[in-house]
């Protein structure tokens, strides 16, 4: 809410919808590009006989470990404050 209030104060209420529209288009473009890249990688891996599910599982497990470690570190910092 505080950030929204600052945005309205800086840009004015009439510019906020245009800013949101631009951000939405940017996010959509990024999502489309990510999906295209993912599709190309999958096609290439399938063409070369690489099992992507094994790598995806390993990657997901590593991301979960890092996420848990970050949450533990942030949690301890929040408790100290």
């Amino acid at each position: 809410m505080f950030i929204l209030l600052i945005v309205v104060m800086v840009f004015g209420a009439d510019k906020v919808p245009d800013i949101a529209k631009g951000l939405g288009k940017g996010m959509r473009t990024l999502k489309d590009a990510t999906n295209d890249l993912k599709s190309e990688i999958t096609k290439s891996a399938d063409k070369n006989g690489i099992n992507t599910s094994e790598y995806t599982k390993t990657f997901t497990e590593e991301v979960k470990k890092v996420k848990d470690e970050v949450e533990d570190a942030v949690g301890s910092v929040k408790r100290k404050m």
Side-chain angles (χ1 to χ4, degrees), residues 17-69:
D18 293 335
I19 293 170
K21 185 178 180 180
L23 286 173
K25 283 183 179 180
M27 296 285 287
R28 182 65 186 178
T29 302
L30 180 62
K31 184 178 178 182
D32 290 344
T34 303
N35 287 338
D36 289 344
L37 182 61
K38 189 187 308 183
S39 174
E40 287 297 320
I41 290 171
T42 303
K43 286 178 187 177
S44 178
D46 289 343
K47 183 178 178 180
N48 293 315
I50 298 172
N51 183 3
T52 57
S53 63
E54 179 183 327
Y55 294 110
T56 303
K57 181 181 176 187
T58 304
F59 180 75
T60 304
E61 290 172 355
E62 291 299 320
V63 168
K64 185 178 181 329
K65 287 178 189 177
V66 171
K67 181 180 174 187
D68 291 342
E69 291 174 6

